[in-house]
Amino acid sequence: MGAVTSLLFSMRNTDKCVQGGETTRGVVAAEQVVSAADSIAGSSSSIFSTLTEGTASALECADGAVSTIFEKIGKSDVLDNIVETTGANTKIGAIAQKSINPLLCVAAGVRVLNDDDQYAALIEETSAMTTMFATESVMKYLRSATTGTSQATTGMAGKVAEVMESSSTIKNLTEKASNWYTKLGTSSNGSAKQTIARIGIDILFVAGSICAYNLGKKLGELISGRNKEET
């Protein structure tokens, strides 16, 4: 996940924590800050050059602690697998990325438990989260195909990637997008232009995720019948 994406999501979840009292969202926000730091540490862009060295040093210390914990419980291979499947630059970044979605599901579960109509809330949250995760998986594939970044090979994202790669139409579209991004990099000030392009893609990713959640929530309300109560 891109640094801008992670920071924007962190800001949104921080607001949900402070304004909405969703404690779990605060934990998610912290994980997303770590994910953003991981992206910055692995960036070769000159725009992030002043942040990269310090960020990498901080994450290196955290990596040592994480490695020690997994070694003590005899799960070093599990940690290596998490790093590989997430495509993170650091071990702590991989752990952060891996824990974000489960924590979001926990937050959704808490909302269901706190709702007066838990049955309706369960339908609505399930619809909202499923729509959001499915849409994010599609967007992750399109982003990785365009920018040449790593794409998760497990879970929903991996299955979506397999389906989309089987479509010749989608392949042609992603190849055109990739060619555009590559040409952008070979132009004058190409590195800066590609960074700006990635930031734009990250912003679109966040907007798409939020819209997908809201759309799924509305669909859930339609199924649960609570939309009729509002009218």
Side-chain angles (χ1 to χ4, degrees):
M1 187 175 291
V4 174
T5 303
S6 297
L7 288 174
L8 289 175
F9 276 135
S10 180
M11 291 170 61
R12 174 176 169 78
N13 283 308
T14 298
D15 179 68
K16 292 285 186 180
C17 176
V18 175
Q19 301 296 331
E22 295 188 52
T23 307
T24 309
R25 292 266 197 163
V27 181
V28 174
E31 297 281 14
Q32 287 165 334
V33 169
V34 174
S35 181
D38 176 82
S39 296
I40 292 172
S43 175
S44 59
S45 170
S46 59
I47 292 179
F48 291 130
S49 60
T50 56
L51 297 173
T52 300
E53 186 175 347
T55 302
S57 297
L59 293 177
E60 186 177 349
C61 293
D63 270 6
V66 170
S67 296
T68 300
I69 292 171
F70 274 80
E71 285 172 6
K72 285 185 176 180
I73 62 176
K75 297 294 182 180
S76 296
D77 55 331
V78 174
L79 179 59
D80 292 337
N81 184 59
I82 292 173
V83 174
E84 183 180 350
T85 56
T86 58
N89 298 298
T90 62
K91 294 174 182 178
I92 187 67
I95 295 296
Q97 286 188 36
K98 199 71 173 177
S99 62
I100 288 172
N101 284 350
L103 285 171
L104 286 173
C105 291
V106 170
V110 172
R111 289 194 294 273
V112 171
L113 293 175
N114 290 336
D115 199 292
D116 292 335
D117 188 342
Q118 293 180 353
Y119 178 72
L122 178 61
I123 293 173
E124 293 160 13
E125 288 295 338
T126 300
S127 176
M129 298 299 285
T130 302
T131 304
M132 183 184 75
F133 286 144
T135 302
E136 285 185 354
S137 294
V138 172
M139 293 191 295
K140 284 177 182 177
Y141 171 78
L142 295 175
R143 180 172 61 184
S144 65
T146 299
T147 61
T149 52
S150 60
Q151 162 68 24
T153 56
T154 59
M156 183 182 290
K159 292 177 181 178
V160 168
E162 289 179 5
V163 172
M164 298 189 77
E165 285 173 352
S166 66
S167 170
S168 58
T169 301
I170 293 175
K171 270 191 174 182
N172 289 333
L173 288 173
T174 53
E175 282 177 7
K176 289 180 180 179
S178 179
N179 289 336
W180 164 80
Y181 185 79
T182 301
K183 288 180 181 178
L184 196 65
T186 59
S187 63
S188 176
N189 297 319
S191 178
K193 289 179 180 178
Q194 282 188 331
T195 299
I196 292 171
R198 285 198 300 272
I199 290 173
I201 292 171
D202 281 356
I203 293 172
L204 288 174
F205 184 93
V206 174
S209 174
I210 293 172
C211 288
Y213 177 86
N214 291 336
L215 178 62
K217 189 69 179 291
K218 291 294 182 183
L219 178 61
E221 289 174 352
L222 182 65
I223 295 172
S224 70
R226 281 213 281 198
N227 66 318
K228 295 178 181 178
E229 296 176 12
E230 294 176 359
T231 56

